[in-house]
Amino acid sequence: MSQYFDLGDETLWNASNGASLVFRRQVAVFEAELELPSGIGPMEDDECQISPDAFETFVNALLAKHRRTSHAIWLALSEGFTATMLVLAERAAMEVDWAGLGAAPEAPLEDVQVSAVTGMSAPAEGAAWAAGLRAKARELGRLMPR
């Protein structure tokens, strides 16, 4: 069995039941974290509709949050979900402002990691950060059937 994540009549992802369940649970976690709806609707009869406007807002907020943190554990926990969302955003033909996101974060840093030995860590340099997420998304995209 599988479950479909659709944008209108186009299937963005034909996920296995197990991957779909974990993904939808992560959606709920990040909706709470960002205090925004994801645009990913409920799963009904193995189909889930994605609302493009809410989805675009959510993905951009997720990327901005990801960019503002330097906490290694937060980044490790969120990287796979963020890359999965990027695959869906790309398949939905959503524009991502990589240049803007790659700049030094304008908002205050969040979830920074502080060590008595090394001090406070800083977010990755913009181009490296974007390249890393894009590479992870490309890798996942090859594995995510439509």
Side-chain angles (χ1 to χ4, degrees):
M1 291 289 297
S2 59
Q3 298 184 325
Y4 298 87
F5 291 85
D6 298 329
L7 184 69
D9 292 335
E10 181 182 3
T11 296
L12 303 181
W13 183 23
N14 176 6
S16 70
N17 287 348
S20 174
L21 179 64
V22 170
F23 174 72
R24 288 182 288 116
R25 287 180 175 165
Q26 286 184 314
V27 166
V29 166
F30 283 94
E31 284 177 330
E33 177 72 16
L34 298 173
E35 298 179 342
L36 284 173
S38 65
I40 297 176
M43 188 61 66
E44 296 174 347
D45 298 323
D46 293 326
E47 293 182 2
C48 172
Q49 279 295 320
I50 298 173
S51 170
D53 293 338
F55 182 69
E56 183 171 0
T57 299
F58 183 82
V59 170
N60 283 311
L62 177 65
L63 288 170
K65 169 79 173 171
H66 196 277
R67 179 71 179 113
R68 286 190 312 268
T69 187
S70 63
H71 196 286
I73 302 305
W74 195 98
L75 291 169
L77 290 170
S78 67
E79 184 177 78
F81 177 75
T82 303
T84 302
M85 294 299 279
L86 282 174
V87 172
L88 296 176
E90 180 178 290
R91 290 179 180 179
M94 190 185 101
E95 292 290 327
V96 174
D97 179 16
W98 288 107
L101 288 165
E106 291 180 17
L109 298 178
E110 298 175 4
D111 296 314
V112 295
Q113 192 162 350
V114 180
S115 164
V117 176
T118 62
M120 186 172 80
S121 60
E125 185 272 325
W129 169 81
L133 269 179
R134 290 171 116 169
K136 183 70 172 173
R138 277 192 304 276
E139 175 187 330
L140 283 176
R142 288 191 292 272
L143 302 172
M144 290 173 61
R146 285 182 179 234

